[in-house]
């Protein structure tokens, strides 16, 4: 019934929006202006590729401004729970819910051509049972927090301040709570332009452990040299003092060592540039992009293990990655088709048999009275996220031939292979679905089905699979 509800809802929304097609065409590309605030839009005769930015210009030249952004992502979901799950203290094999996956408000203040302040505030992962503040119920009134808060200085700007000529080499220096991560393109991903309904999360190896929602506090440099794009950072990880059981390795950075990260990519075709940390997951064929990247992350004494009772050992954390991304228009220009492809290889080393589970808006708790075969991952929609070992991730999207002036359809699929030291069988994870873009890249409705393996607690081999249906409503500018 729930699956039918999700499909019917998706089809109904599609039909409703398509019925408005001819009306919307009449009002295409009309800039909105309120006093000094301008909603910038692209003047295109067909599909608009961006809703633009809400920008307050502070001078006539436009090199001093304040830019505001908003990103909301709403989920309707049907989850097949792992065995032995309680939902609101009752056993439940299948759960349907609605949730606020992300809500972000951003401010980018270019106070002078050389100086920038960037702030991002919001909430994540609020459902009927998760994300609530104390005293307000399990899901009510989640706490708002800063995801980004940093200052940035142009040491060598992209354009010379006086001549306005492009510099082949540019360098920016920043400090604060930031997301200029190393490792991979996906570790610097834009949540407003994801190819899939969500990121795979293992692209953030320290998520909500020694970082704050994929951010750490420190100093970073970023910039370009010809066709190379680079970013490096030295940060102070957030303190984590987990204690391991016998034979276990956990996050524990009590000695307080710094972390070092970097990512360098080479642009074979059009250059990708940006004034923030975030790289898009698609361009819908509006640019010819093909990049190859290498990245790393390291922090000494970041984990703690207990090989035998009473004996503890500290371990260094290291991550290496190589990835490839391309987004290209294909076929006749009038069809406006596009191909998006991304693949990445990660080598994680956190110490012997390190293994970490995670869940997104998990609806469940453990049923301790359940006598069946429980999953190593835990209750609800939990999965083995990452661990010491190798991970390979690939995603593919294809924009179908043009059938509307205001709508585009992009089927997608992804595959993840996890070969982790703490498990006795390689795991395969699958995602499949489609994006329905409405008016622009910034407004979309997505359907995604995800399939995950479940591991036995004893032999650590796969004994079952579970799935999850997600209908996503996203708007960003």
């Amino acid at each position: 019934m729930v699956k039918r509800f999700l499909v019917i809802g998706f089809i109904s929304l599609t039909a409703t929006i398509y019925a408005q097609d001819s009306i919307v065409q009449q009002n295409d590309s009309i800039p909105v202006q309120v006093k000094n605030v301008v909603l910038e839009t692209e003047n295109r005769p067909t599909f608009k590729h961006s809703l633009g930015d809400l920008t307050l210009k502070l001078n006539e030249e436009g090199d001093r401004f304040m830019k505001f952004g908003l990103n909301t992502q709403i989920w309707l979901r049907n989850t097949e729970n792992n065995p032995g799950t309680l939902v609101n203290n009752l056993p439940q094999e299948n759960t349907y819910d609605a949730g606020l996956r992300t809500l972000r408000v951003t401010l980018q203040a270019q106070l002078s051509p050389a100086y920038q302040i960037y702030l991002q505030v919001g909430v994540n992962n609020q459902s009927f049972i998760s994300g609530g503040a104390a005293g307000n119920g399990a899901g009510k009134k989640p706490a708002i927090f800063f995801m980004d808060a940093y200052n940035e200085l142009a040491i060598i700007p992209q354009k010379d301040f006086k001549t306005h000529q492009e510099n082949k080499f540019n360098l920016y220096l920043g400090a604060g709570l930031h997301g200029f991560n190393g490792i991979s393109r996906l570790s610097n991903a834009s949540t407003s332009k994801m190819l899939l309904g969500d990121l795979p999360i293992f692209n953030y190896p320290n998520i909500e452990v020694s970082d704050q929602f994929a951010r750490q506090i420190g100093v970073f440099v970023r910039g370009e040299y010809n066709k190379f794009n680079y970013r490096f950072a030295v940060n102070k990880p957030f303190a984590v003092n987990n204690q391991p059981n016998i034979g276990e390795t956990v996050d524990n950075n009590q000695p307080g060592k710094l972390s070092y990260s970097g990512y360098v990519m080479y642009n074979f075709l059009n250059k990708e540039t940006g004034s923030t940390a975030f790289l898009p997951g698609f361009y819908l064929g509006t640019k010819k992009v093909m990049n190859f990247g290498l990245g790393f992350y390291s922090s000494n004494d970041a984990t703690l293990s207990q090989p035998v009772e009473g004996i503890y050992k500290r371990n260094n954390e290291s991550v290496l990655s190589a990835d490839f991304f391309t987004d290209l228009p294909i076929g006749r220009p009038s069809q406006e088709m596009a191909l998006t492809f991304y693949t990445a290889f990660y080598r994680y080393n956190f110490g012997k048999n390190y293994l970490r589970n995670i869940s997104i808006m998990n609806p469940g708790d453990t049923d301790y009275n359940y006598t069946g075969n429980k999953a190593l991952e835990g209750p609800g929609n939990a999965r083995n996220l990452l661990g010491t070992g190798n991970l390979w991730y690939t995603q593919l999207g294809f924009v179908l031939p043009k059938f509307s002036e205001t709508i585009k359809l992009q089927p997608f699929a992804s595959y993840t292979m996890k070969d982790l030291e703490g498990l006795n069988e390689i795991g395969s994870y699958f995602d499949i679905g489609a994006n329905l873009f409405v008016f622009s890249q910034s407004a979309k409705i997505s359907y995604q089905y995800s399939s995950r393996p479940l591991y036995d607690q004893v032999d650590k081999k796969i004994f079952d699979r579970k799935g999850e249906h997600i209908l996503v409503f996203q708007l960003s500018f």
Side-chain angles (χ1 to χ4, degrees), residues 2-167:
V2 177
K3 296 178 184 178
R4 187 178 302 170
F5 160 72
L6 291 173
V7 173
I8 292 173
F10 184 72
I11 294 172
S12 300
L13 284 163
T14 303
T16 302
I17 295 165
Y18 191 80
Q20 303 297 321
D21 196 8
S22 60
I23 299 174
V24 172
Q25 291 180 52
Q26 298 173 14
N27 298 311
D28 199 15
S29 303
I30 300 177
V32 178
Q33 188 167 6
V34 182
K35 293 184 179 179
N36 291 329
V37 182
V38 178
L39 183 62
E40 299 170 348
T41 58
E42 291 189 52
N43 187 13
R44 294 180 181 272
T46 56
F47 183 74
K48 245 197 301 299
H49 296 287
S50 174
L51 292 180
D53 300 303
L54 190 62
T55 303
L56 177 65
K57 295 182 179 180
L58 302 180
N59 65 353
E60 300 242 348
E61 294 77 13
D63 55 6
R64 295 178 63 237
F65 59 85
M66 297 180 69
K67 184 184 294 184
F68 301 88
L70 177 66
N71 179 24
T72 60
Q73 190 185 82
I74 314 299
W75 281 12
L76 302 181
R77 186 172 61 165
N78 174 28
T79 301
E80 296 176 348
N81 293 318
N82 297 346
T85 293
L86 291 177
V87 177
N88 205 20
N89 295 321
L90 292 175
Q92 197 168 100
E93 294 183 357
N94 196 284
T95 301
Y96 63 91
D97 65 355
L100 183 61
R101 177 68 175 97
T102 60
L103 188 150
R104 314 283 178 83
V105 179
T106 61
L107 168 62
Q108 182 181 355
Q110 193 74 44
L111 302 181
S112 79
Y115 197 79
Q116 177 188 199
I117 295 176
Y118 187 84
L119 302 174
Q120 183 170 198
V121 65
V123 298
N124 300 294
N125 301 328
Q126 183 187 14
S127 74
F128 75 103
I129 204 168
S130 67
N136 291 304
K140 299 176 185 175
K141 300 179 183 177
I144 296 175
F145 70 99
F146 280 97
M147 293 166 217
D148 297 275
Y150 64 82
N151 302 336
E152 184 182 82
L153 180 66
I155 306 300
I156 305 175
Q158 286 183 325
K159 289 186 178 181
D160 186 271
F161 295 144
K162 294 183 178 180
T163 65
H164 302 291
Q165 296 295 314
E166 293 278 350
N167 290 317

Side-chain angles (χ1 to χ4, degrees), residues 25 42 44 63 138 151 156 194 197 210 222 261 320 360 384 424 456:
Q25 291 180 52
E42 291 189 52
R44 294 180 181 272
D63 55 6
N151 302 336
I156 305 175
M194 300 179 295
S210 59
R222 69 168 182 91
S261 62
L320 297 174
I360 303 298
N384 289 314
N424 292 324
D456 184 84

Side-chain angles (χ1 to χ4, degrees), residues 240-251:
V240 185
N241 295 316
N242 296 331
Q243 296 299 313
N245 296 318
I246 298 173
E248 186 181 29
T249 300
V250 297
D251 295 278

Side-chain angles (χ1 to χ4, degrees), residues 10-11 13-15 17-18 47 49 195 282 284-285 330 335-340 396-413 432-441 443-448 471:
F10 184 72
I11 294 172
L13 284 163
T14 303
I17 295 165
Y18 191 80
F47 183 74
H49 296 287
L195 178 61
F282 57 81
L284 301 185
I330 58 175
Q335 294 181 316
E336 297 184 7
M337 295 187 295
L339 177 71
T340 302
L396 177 68
F398 177 71
V399 178
L400 297 181
K402 178 181 176 181
F403 61 91
S404 166
E405 298 296 332
T406 57
I407 298 173
K408 283 187 181 294
L409 185 62
Q410 181 189 47
F412 60 73
I432 189 169
N435 294 317
L436 183 73
F437 294 96
V438 188
F439 312 132
S440 75
Q441 292 181 359
K444 70 174 183 175
I445 303 168
S446 305
Y447 167 76
Q448 178 174 310
L471 187 62

